[in-house]
Amino acid sequence: MKLEIARALFLLAGLAVTTVAVAAWEEPRPVVFSKAAMAEQCPVPRVVKEQVQAQPDHDLLLFLFGLRQGLRPVG
């Protein structure tokens, strides 16, 4: 097989793969949701308990910082 024919086949194969990838790549477009549309999608239960506000755990942050310090090489 000549080098020119092989190059042409590789070019066509590359273009075919690129075409299939572009056709398969589907990104959702940005959409604005309204409350009416959301009410139909996911109705809220009649009895909803109030959520308790989560507080950050400073001990956990200190623990993670200590673990990170332990990963440093000595010297």
Side-chain angles (χ1 to χ4, degrees):
M1 183 184 301
K2 289 188 174 184
L3 184 60
E4 293 83 16
I5 296 173
R7 284 183 183 169
L9 288 176
F10 282 122
L11 178 66
L12 288 175
L15 289 174
V17 168
T18 304
T19 304
V20 170
V22 167
W25 185 12
E26 180 183 335
E27 286 189 16
R29 294 192 170 103
V31 179
V32 177
F33 294 106
S34 66
K35 285 188 177 183
M38 293 302 290
E40 295 172 1
Q41 295 288 330
C42 183
V44 179
R46 292 181 186 259
V47 179
V48 178
K49 296 181 181 179
E50 185 176 328
Q51 297 287 332
V52 177
Q53 183 102 11
Q55 298 295 327
D57 187 4
H58 297 291
D59 293 336
L60 176 63
L61 293 175
L62 185 61
F63 174 70
L64 291 174
F65 178 73
L67 286 176
R68 176 68 182 115
Q69 295 298 317
L71 293 176
R72 287 188 177 173
V74 178

